[in-house]
Amino acid sequence: MLSVRNAQVRYGMAEALRGVDLEVNEGEIVAVIGRNGAGKTTLLKAITGLVKMSGGEIRFKGERIDRLPAHEIVKKGIGHVPQGRQVFGDQTVEENLILGAYTKIKQQPEQVKKWMEREYQRFPRLRERRHQQAGTLSGGEQQMLALARALMADPPFLVLDEPSMGLSPIYVKLILDTVVQLRKEGKTILLVEQLATAALSISDRAYVLSSGAVELTGPSTELLHDEKVIRTYLGA
Ligand SMILES: Nc1ncnc2c1ncn2[C@@H]1O[C@H](COP(=O)(O)OP(=O)(O)O)[C@@H](O)[C@H]1O
Ligand SMILES: [Mg+2]
């Protein structure tokens, strides 16, 4: 479904991605793990059109997307849940959700209402707080909102950048359970996560990024038992 070939990204003199290859097949959860600064966020931003690549190509359902602006990539069906949530703090919960549907709201207003109802059922907390400013929500609630906002355009493909970051264990579980549930609903998911054990436990395959390159890749169950992965990424 998604194919990244030889992706290269530079920030000035610094090479953040040095030729990354990655595939995601329909229906998979694919995890990307790696230390801080490994290039995980840059990879997701290259896919969603938020940074320009200096080389390589990205295809979604066979079609090249790496020269498209970010809003066109959303229209193709890729939803992005950015690192640090990035909700609009001075807008209400509901306004944030409507903004997530901006590619659909003109043509399909009735459908957008249904999707909003679906997200309120998924996250009752958001319904309770729908008239509250997003900036007043807790971190876990903001993460729910960021996820629900991305789902408001009904994307078949979702990229999630460290959704567990800074959350209490209860919210970490809720968010990761939601990721598993979304796959059951037919979504394909690319998940960047610092919590490597959790990411490998819920994913089918994984990539280990190190200094802007793929260090290792394979089925997640194999990486969970790989000596080097255990030593470097899974803690003692
Ligand atoms: N906007 C930027 N300008 C310059 N360097 C950046 C920028 N964003 C990220 N970098 C650098 O690129 C590398 C990869 O960063 P990033 O993709 O955020 O890694 P990760 O998400 O794995 O922590 C790091 O060395 C980081 O300092
Ligand atoms: Mg990051």
Side-chain angles (χ1 to χ4, degrees), residues 11-12 14-17 34-43 45 83 161-162 192 194 209:
Y11 296 113
E15 274 184 289
L17 294 184
R35 293 181 190 290
N36 247 331
K40 304 181 298 297
T41 293
T42 302
L43 175 62
K45 284 184 171 174
Q83 186 173 333
D161 198 346
E162 307 230 19
V192 163
Q194 282 272 328
L209 265 194

Side-chain angles (χ1 to χ4, degrees), residues 105-172:
I105 198 136
K106 277 221 177 83
Q107 294 87 349
Q108 299 167 268
E110 287 308 312
Q111 193 60 55
V112 166
K113 268 189 207 153
K114 284 188 194 145
W115 290 332
M116 183 177 292
E117 178 57 29
R118 178 187 64 189
E119 295 316 314
Y120 281 150
Q121 280 183 13
R122 191 192 309 283
F123 300 118
R125 205 51 181 264
L126 294 182
R127 190 200 303 276
E128 284 166 25
R129 304 193 174 224
R130 64 189 183 278
H131 300 307
Q132 207 167 310
Q133 287 200 330
T136 67
L137 302 179
S138 73
E141 291 164 349
Q142 288 191 20
Q143 189 63 60
M144 288 180 204
L145 180 56
L147 193 49
R149 181 182 59 184
L151 291 167
M152 282 297 292
D154 204 37
F157 192 94
L158 259 185
V159 306
L160 297 141
D161 198 346
E162 307 230 19
S164 75
M165 192 189 265
L167 302 188
S168 64
I170 288 172
Y171 275 120
V172 170

Side-chain angles (χ1 to χ4, degrees), residues 16-34:
L17 294 184
R18 308 162 185 264
V20 169
D21 292 333
L22 173 142
E23 300 280 337
V24 184
N25 301 307
E26 189 163 3
E28 279 188 311
I29 299 178
V30 172
V32 177
I33 62 173

Side-chain angles (χ1 to χ4, degrees), residues 33-35 196 200 208-211 213-217 222-236:
I33 62 173
R35 293 181 190 290
L200 293 176
V208 180
L209 265 194
S210 174
S211 303
V214 175
E215 188 181 21
L216 250 175
T217 180
E222 282 178 22
L223 294 188
L224 264 175
H225 297 103
D226 183 278
E227 283 291 331
K228 181 149 193 269
V229 173
I230 292 171
R231 219 177 325 116
T232 317
Y233 300 101
L234 305 183

Side-chain angles (χ1 to χ4, degrees), residues 67-123:
R67 297 203 188 95
L68 298 179
H71 66 270
E72 291 294 336
I73 295 175
V74 174
K75 280 193 200 158
K76 298 282 178 199
I78 300 182
H80 186 198
V81 183
Q83 186 173 333
R85 355 245 195 248
Q86 317 277 346
V87 299
F88 302 102
D90 56 356
Q91 312 260 356
T92 67
V93 165
E94 193 146 304
E95 285 164 347
N96 270 271
L97 292 179
I98 291 166
L99 285 166
Y102 73 96
T103 57
K104 307 264 172 150
I105 198 136
K106 277 221 177 83
Q107 294 87 349
Q108 299 167 268
E110 287 308 312
Q111 193 60 55
V112 166
K113 268 189 207 153
K114 284 188 194 145
W115 290 332
M116 183 177 292
E117 178 57 29
R118 178 187 64 189
E119 295 316 314
Y120 281 150
Q121 280 183 13
R122 191 192 309 283
F123 300 118

Side-chain angles (χ1 to χ4, degrees), residues 171-190:
Y171 275 120
V172 170
K173 182 170 182 336
L174 187 147
I175 294 293
L176 295 177
D177 286 351
T178 304
V179 171
V180 172
Q181 172 60 29
L182 287 169
R183 186 250 289 275
K184 287 190 192 138
E185 292 175 24
K187 307 280 185 207
T188 303
I189 293 160
L190 180 59

